């Protein structure tokens, strides 16, 4: 195999190709068509179709579906999440949770106005009363003349007292339960249910949520009503001692009756046990004696004999 030999250089290296006018026209047409195709490709692949006011491409995030090499690639789903279903929320229909809802139902404007009025009344009831610029017109604490009143005490019990005095004087402003009022002050249920006589505050039962609400009374008002009912604190104490003695007497009587019943049942049980333990003679047929009148009967278990007379 012979080695290749480089051909000798041309005598005229700068010789130019001579093109005809028709060839030049076709080359120019092809060049313009290629530039147009490249321009259309850039427009379709770019996210900015229209230039901004400065005739520049606007700054935008390149979409994930773009063919640009700088476009972000979509994240792969983690296989540890398991299977799931993709829903198009724009095509979902509200089924009202399975309930039959009448969308065409007419709304009663009067009912709506009443509900709004009740909401405003509840909101106004929960608001604290305003303060006047004139300090003499503002309600003050009965103990220290402070303006920092407990508005719940004022609204429920009509008592003007601040939080500080309420804590410092529990002998007047502490709260009593219904059971304490009945046991310590000897008040009845009808009296405690009458809000005109004794206003009360309702609170949730701390022992269990399903139990009835607690009825709390102001100690000062309960004592005032109890003194008026019984005459004086001494009379209340005397009535309390009387009732305690009566309760003690009834408990003692009930205990004695129970003890007597226990003794009776115990005595009957012992007597029955003794009676059951006694031997019961079982006699056979009476034998006729020599005289033909008096016979003998013998117990079949112990051999005890008795004389019987036949008529």
């Amino acid at each position: 195999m012979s080695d290749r030999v480089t051909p000798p250089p041309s005598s005229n290296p700068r010789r130019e190709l001579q093109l005809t006018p028709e060839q030049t026209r076709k080359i120019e047409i092809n060049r313009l068509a290629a530039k147009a195709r490249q321009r259309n490709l850039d427009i379709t692949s770019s996210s900015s179709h229209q230039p901004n006011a400065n005739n520049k491409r606007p700054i935008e995030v390149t979409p994930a579906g773009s063919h640009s090499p700088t476009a972000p690639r979509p994240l792969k789903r983690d296989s540890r999440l398991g299977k799931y279903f993709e829903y198009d929320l724009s095509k979902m229909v509200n089924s009202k949770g399975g309930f039959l809802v009448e969308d065409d139902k007419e709304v009663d404007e009067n009912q709506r106005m009443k509900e709004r009025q009740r909401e405003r009344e509840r909101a106004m009831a929960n608001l604290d009363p305003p303060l006047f610029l004139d300090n003499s017109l503002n309600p003050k604490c009965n103990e220290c003349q402070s303006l920092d009143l407990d508005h719940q005490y004022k609204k429920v019990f009509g008592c003007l007292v601040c939080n500080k005095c309420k804590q410092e004087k529990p002998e007047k402003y502490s709260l009593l339960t219904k059971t304490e009022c009945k046991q310590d002050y000897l008040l009845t249920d009808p009296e405690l249910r009458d809000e005109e006589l004794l206003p009360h505050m309702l609170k949730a039962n701390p022992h269990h949520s399903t139990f009835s609400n607690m009825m709390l009374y102001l100690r000062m008002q309960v004592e005032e009503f109890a003194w008026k009912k019984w005459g004086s604190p001494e009379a209340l104490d005397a009535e309390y001692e009387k009732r305690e003695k009566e309760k003690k007497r009834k408990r003692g009587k009930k205990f004695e009756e129970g003890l007597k019943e226990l003794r009776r049942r115990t005595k009957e049980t012992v007597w029955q046990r003794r009676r059951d333990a006694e031997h019961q003679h079982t006699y056979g047929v009476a034998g006729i004696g020599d005289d033909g009148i008096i016979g003998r009967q013998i117990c079949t278990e112990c051999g005890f004999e008795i004389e019987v007379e036949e008529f």
Side-chain angles (χ1 to χ4, degrees), residues 209-225:
S209 59
T210 58
F211 291 171
S212 300
N213 292 332
M214 290 195 309
M215 300 173 65
L216 302 178
Y217 301 84
L218 187 62
R219 181 183 293 273
M220 179 176 60
Q221 296 178 350
V222 172
E223 290 182 351
E224 182 181 357
F225 180 77

Side-chain angles (χ1 to χ4, degrees), residues 5-64:
V5 180
T6 305
S10 176
S11 60
N12 188 9
R14 295 186 179 182
R15 184 181 57 182
E16 297 180 358
L17 296 176
Q18 298 295 328
L19 300 177
T20 61
E22 183 67 22
Q23 291 176 344
T24 304
R25 188 177 65 81
K26 287 184 178 182
I27 291 173
E28 185 65 21
I29 291 174
N30 292 337
R31 186 178 67 81
L32 295 177
K35 291 180 65 176
R37 285 195 300 270
Q38 183 64 32
R39 190 182 304 109
N40 293 335
L41 182 62
D42 293 341
I43 291 175
T44 55
S45 61
S46 176
S47 61
S48 57
H49 297 273
Q50 297 179 358
N52 55 14
N54 297 327
N55 200 18
K56 300 292 184 179
R57 184 178 64 183
I59 300 176
E60 293 182 357
V61 178
T62 306

Side-chain angles (χ1 to χ4, degrees), residues 64-305:
S66 176
H67 300 286
S68 175
T70 60
R73 296 182 180 179
L75 297 177
K76 292 184 178 180
R77 182 179 172 277
D78 193 351
S79 60
R80 295 174 296 179
L81 299 177
K83 296 182 179 180
Y84 70 98
F85 298 95
E86 293 184 357
Y87 295 97
D88 189 358
L89 300 180
S90 62
K91 297 181 180 179
M92 295 184 68
V93 180
N94 184 10
S95 62
K96 309 297 182 183
F99 295 95
L100 300 178
V101 181
E102 298 180 4
D103 295 335
D104 300 334
K105 184 177 180 180
E106 296 182 359
V107 180
D108 190 0
E109 293 295 333
N110 294 332
Q111 186 68 21
R112 180 178 295 180
M113 291 178 60
K114 291 180 181 179
E115 292 179 358
R116 291 177 180 175
Q117 180 66 21
R118 284 194 291 267
E119 290 179 0
R120 286 194 293 267
E121 291 177 357
R122 285 194 294 267
M124 293 298 296
N126 294 329
L127 290 177
D128 294 338
L131 295 177
F132 298 97
L133 295 178
D134 188 0
N135 200 15
S136 61
L137 300 177
N138 294 320
K140 300 179 180 61
C141 176
N142 295 330
E143 303 292 338
C144 64
Q145 303 300 316
S146 172
L147 297 178
D148 187 17
L149 299 178
D150 190 329
H151 298 288
Q152 191 173 14
Y153 269 50
K154 178 184 176 183
K155 181 168 59 176
V156 177
F157 304 113
C159 178
L160 300 178
V161 62
C162 63
N163 294 317
K164 181 180 178 181
C165 296
K166 182 178 67 175
Q167 299 296 331
E168 292 180 352
K169 298 183 178 181
E171 67 277 1
K172 293 179 62 176
Y173 302 108
S174 60
L175 298 178
L176 300 174
T177 62
K178 183 178 179 180
T179 305
E180 292 174 341
C181 294
K182 293 172 65 176
Q183 293 179 353
D184 298 342
Y185 296 93
L186 308 180
L187 302 181
T188 60
D189 284 332
E191 293 170 346
L192 295 174
R193 284 196 296 265
D194 193 349
E195 294 189 3
E196 294 182 358
L197 293 177
L198 292 173
H200 59 268
M201 181 191 306
L202 294 178
K203 277 195 175 182
N205 199 306
H207 300 288
H208 203 281
S209 59
T210 58
F211 291 171
S212 300
N213 292 332
M214 290 195 309
M215 300 173 65
L216 302 178
Y217 301 84
L218 187 62
R219 181 183 293 273
M220 179 176 60
Q221 296 178 350
V222 172
E223 290 182 351
E224 182 181 357
F225 180 77
W227 306 158
K228 187 183 299 184
K229 176 181 179 180
W230 299 108
S232 64
E234 292 77 11
L236 175 61
D237 294 339
E239 182 67 21
Y240 182 82
E241 293 293 335
K242 179 181 176 182
R243 294 192 181 188
E244 287 296 321
K245 290 180 180 179
E246 184 67 19
K247 289 180 182 179
K248 187 176 180 180
R249 187 187 65 81
K250 289 182 178 180
R251 285 196 299 265
K253 183 179 179 181
K254 186 176 181 181
F255 175 75
E256 291 294 336
E257 291 178 354
L259 186 60
K260 186 183 296 184
E261 179 67 19
L262 178 61
R263 288 173 179 172
R264 185 184 63 81
R265 286 190 281 109
T266 304
K267 188 175 181 180
E268 289 181 356
T269 305
V270 173
W271 176 81
Q272 186 66 31
R273 190 183 305 115
R274 289 177 180 175
R275 179 163 184 162
D276 294 341
E278 291 180 357
H279 174 65
Q280 301 291 335
H281 298 289
T282 305
Y283 299 101
V285 181
I288 300 175
D290 296 336
D291 54 2
I293 298 176
I294 299 175
R296 294 178 179 275
Q297 282 186 339
I298 302 174
C299 179
T300 58
E301 296 180 2
C302 64
F304 181 73
E305 296 182 3

